[in-house]
Amino acid sequence: MIAAYIDEFIMFCAGLWMTGVGYGFLQMPNQPQTGQQTWLTRLPSHFKWMGPLLLIIAIVLAVASPS
């Protein structure tokens, strides 16, 4: 039974991490360097909406999964 929720647990943890990075509670593992590609410097700002979305998806899948 617990094995059925492993994917949702991993998605939930990733969503927590992305939300933390997006809102500035955590730092990215590799800080942007000067001259680095622009998409990599803008990536944490996208985590503000991608993290909560991933949390919602993980919760919905955990509730909807057959047990």
Side-chain angles (χ1 to χ4, degrees):
M1 177 168 165
I2 293 175
Y5 294 107
I6 290 176
D7 288 340
E8 288 84 4
F9 179 73
I10 292 170
M11 285 174 45
F12 188 80
C13 290
L16 284 177
W17 178 79
M18 288 172 74
T19 303
V21 170
Y23 285 102
F25 297 119
L26 302 171
Q27 291 185 0
M28 287 282 285
N30 54 348
Q31 293 299 318
Q33 305 294 325
T34 55
Q36 204 168 29
Q37 296 177 351
T38 58
W39 67 269
L40 191 54
T41 58
R42 288 192 325 251
L43 186 63
S45 66
H46 291 293
F47 284 174
K48 286 184 180 179
W49 64 269
M50 290 192 309
L53 180 65
L54 192 58
L55 288 171
I56 291 169
I57 292 170
I59 291 169
V60 168
L61 287 176
V63 170
S65 69
S67 49

